[in-house]
Amino acid sequence: MLDLNFVRANLELVEEKLRARGADPAALLGDFRALDKSRREAITSSEQLKARRNELSNQFAMGMRAGSPSSARKLSEMPTMDRIRAVGEKAVDFSKSPEGLRLIEETRLLKEKLDQLDQTAAALDEQLRLSLARIPNLTRDEVPVGKSEADNVTVKTWGKVPAFAFTPKPHWELGESLGILDLERAAKISGARFAVYMGAGARLERALISFMLDLHTSKHGYTEILPPFMVNSKSLFGTGQLPKFADDLFRCSDADAEAVARGEFKDNDHWLIPTAEVPVTNLYRDEILDDSSLPIRLTAYTPCFRAEAGAAGKDTRGIIRQHQFQKVELVKFTRPEDSDAEHEGLTRDAEEILEALGLPYRRVLLCTGDTGFSSAKTYDLEVWLPGQSLYREISSCSNFEAFQARRANIRYRPTAQGAKAKPEFVHTLNGSGLAVGRTWLAILENYQQADGSVLIPEALRPYVGGLDRIVRQS
RNA sequence: GGAGAGAUGGCCGAGCGGCUGAAGGCGGCGGUUUGCUAAACCGUUAUAGGGUCAAAAGCUCUAUCGGGGGUUCGAAUCCCCCUCUCUCCGCCA
């Protein structure tokens, strides 16, 4: 979410940034000015009435105290004689006096007006909040302007694309013929876009998870987290999946998509996580972090569940696009001034997994049109897939700046300069390190041999019990 | 699932119908003292949204004691609903 004050003061800039994304500023910001203005007017007049109400209430309290000491002091604290007198005074209670009755009447009238005004103010506030919640993050200036992934810019390329003396096969052929991947039975038990891994295939998937977590925790300084795989809608709002992307999510029977569309986010409904980013980033929702604890670097393995509503017919072969896939995620919380460097570092941490596994890849800086809703800047890592002769996304590393922190209310208290430091929003970042399923298939395609077997990368062998090659299983 | 107890500021913890945004303590910050450190003492220390202001500071108003609703002239305090935490019982991987 963008800062309301910032949008108000920089409306032209916001419009320009939205256009760069290919969004329609008029549709998103349309009546922003008018809405903002009437919201503030409603708040102002409501607060004036409230000030008057409090004033009347004070007058009443003073009247009670002057007219009837019994109300000013606790009976139990009075000497006996005062107590007897105080009880007698109830007959001349201030609340029954003409002045008291006048105050009560004015307050009552005031309340009627106030109830109405407050309703208007709340409705306007809600409208503004909701429209703000649907505006994507502003991309940074160094993000290239472009419409689609065709306009992304390759920043670097690593590794040698392997040359084969034979025609390399796609992973679905390799997986089936090796007997380690069964898509037909997966379709039977769960439907399309699911996979069953068997034998060395299952072992390889598990090995990759451990390998990635180990590298990130021991070498890159991340703390391992194992979060819930279901979250509530408040969390999904916090990281930006809701309200806009409800269709991409699987939700449980207690989750109400229509309520979400109205801008109601609950803490007692359940949705399957589309990425570990959601539970891990929301770990610190509504908290004020200690300055000295930053940056916080967390890594988590989770399955990820995606409805893939808009992807009908896309990537139907193999396991590129699944309703459930495994992923090791990297998440950071940083001071604003550090997020840029931490973003570079996080991307490097993901790249090192690819390098350790000897998988050729390139790093791509996403253009404005391809950058995700919540992100200010995103690098994609794309792994080379010889079976299909193309680079395919295997990691996406984003700096969200304060966008998610503002939605999730994650702050820290700066201690610099000794001045009275007000809490500020942290910057959040995350990236895949890596998508395990796609790493699995990249290994199959890159390490396939003429005889149809697949070599296991050196670094991974300790994780598969020393196995150096996957051969056909019976 | 059943019974009970609880949720208060960065943290702990009082308050249980009226100048209570909230005692006290801890922590933080500033200062005094001190050869340095420590200790002691004094002061200060919530967040958000409005208004004022060119802007900031300041001043001012409003809201906030788990969330929502109600009673009342007035609610942290009384009532109802919900969520979460803890204890006991039941069930369960």
Side-chain angles (χ1 to χ4, degrees), chain A residues 5-36:
Chain A
N5 291 316
F6 180 87
V7 176
R8 188 183 296 142
N10 301 280
L11 209 53
E12 290 75 22
L13 173 68
V14 172
E15 282 170 350
E16 183 199 317
K17 286 288 187 184
L18 290 178
R19 266 194 297 276
R21 271 183 180 272
D24 178 9
L28 285 170
L29 291 166
D31 41 2
F32 178 86
R33 270 183 230 266
L35 204 56
D36 181 50

Side-chain angles (χ1 to χ4, degrees), chain A residues 107-347:
Chain A
T107 310
R108 206 178 50 76
L109 291 173
L110 201 67
K111 205 171 157 187
E112 279 173 23
K113 253 191 273 180
L114 194 57
D115 281 348
Q116 224 175 0
L117 204 55
D118 264 347
Q119 260 179 20
T120 319
L124 286 168
D125 191 67
E126 193 57 26
Q127 254 182 69
L128 194 70
R129 210 179 57 85
L130 201 60
S131 84
L132 211 56
R134 288 176 184 278
I135 297 173
N137 201 359
L138 306 183
T139 48
R140 297 171 63 99
D141 289 339
E142 69 264 30
V143 173
V145 176
K147 281 190 166 65
S148 71
E149 61 182 287
D151 301 313
N152 296 343
V153 175
T154 301
V155 178
K156 68 184 265 194
T157 305
W158 183 93
K160 251 200 209 123
V161 167
F164 293 93
F166 55 95
T167 308
K169 293 175 180 159
H171 67 272
W172 54 89
E173 283 180 24
L174 290 162
E176 300 268 353
S177 66
L178 286 168
I180 58 172
L181 178 70
D182 191 335
L183 298 175
E184 268 180 48
R185 290 200 175 92
K188 176 173 69 182
I189 59 175
S190 301
R193 295 201 192 282
F194 286 93
V196 175
Y197 300 84
M198 297 166 308
R203 181 75 190 258
L204 179 60
E205 179 90 357
R206 179 159 59 90
L208 282 169
I209 294 164
S210 294
F211 171 72
M212 291 177 192
L213 286 172
D214 282 357
L215 192 72
H216 293 316
T217 52
S218 67
K219 191 175 169 204
H220 298 150
Y222 292 77
T223 301
E224 183 173 347
I225 302 286
L226 203 157
F229 303 159
M230 290 190 232
V231 292
N232 56 37
S233 45
K234 259 190 194 164
S235 294
L236 286 158
F237 175 81
T239 31
Q241 282 79 14
L242 292 181
K244 223 187 142 186
F245 304 102
D247 287 348
D248 295 336
L249 302 168
F250 286 112
R251 59 176 193 275
C252 300
S253 52
D254 57 3
D256 181 350
E258 288 173 20
V260 157
R262 287 194 302 273
E264 294 165 25
F265 306 103
K266 301 200 281 185
D267 55 13
N268 61 344
D269 54 355
H270 301 86
W271 304 62
L272 297 184
I273 57 169
T275 158
E277 161 194 354
V278 181
V280 176
T281 304
N282 279 281
L283 229 38
Y284 298 118
R285 172 149 54 84
D286 294 320
E287 291 193 31
I288 299 174
L289 301 170
D290 205 52
D291 185 50
S292 60
S293 69
L294 299 177
I296 297 173
R297 303 184 177 100
L298 306 175
T299 181
Y301 151 75
T302 70
C304 304
F305 303 94
R306 300 191 181 177
E308 298 293 350
K314 230 193 259 178
D315 303 316
T316 49
R317 305 215 62 181
I319 56 166
I320 283 282
R321 191 177 297 270
Q322 301 274 285
H323 285 311
Q324 178 193 321
F325 62 94
Q326 279 64 245
K327 183 153 63 72
V328 169
E329 185 77 356
L330 304 170
V331 175
K332 289 186 181 182
F333 304 82
T334 77
R335 299 181 192 91
E337 64 268 28
D338 298 335
S339 72
D340 219 13
E342 291 291 338
H343 183 216
E344 297 297 324
L346 184 146
T347 309

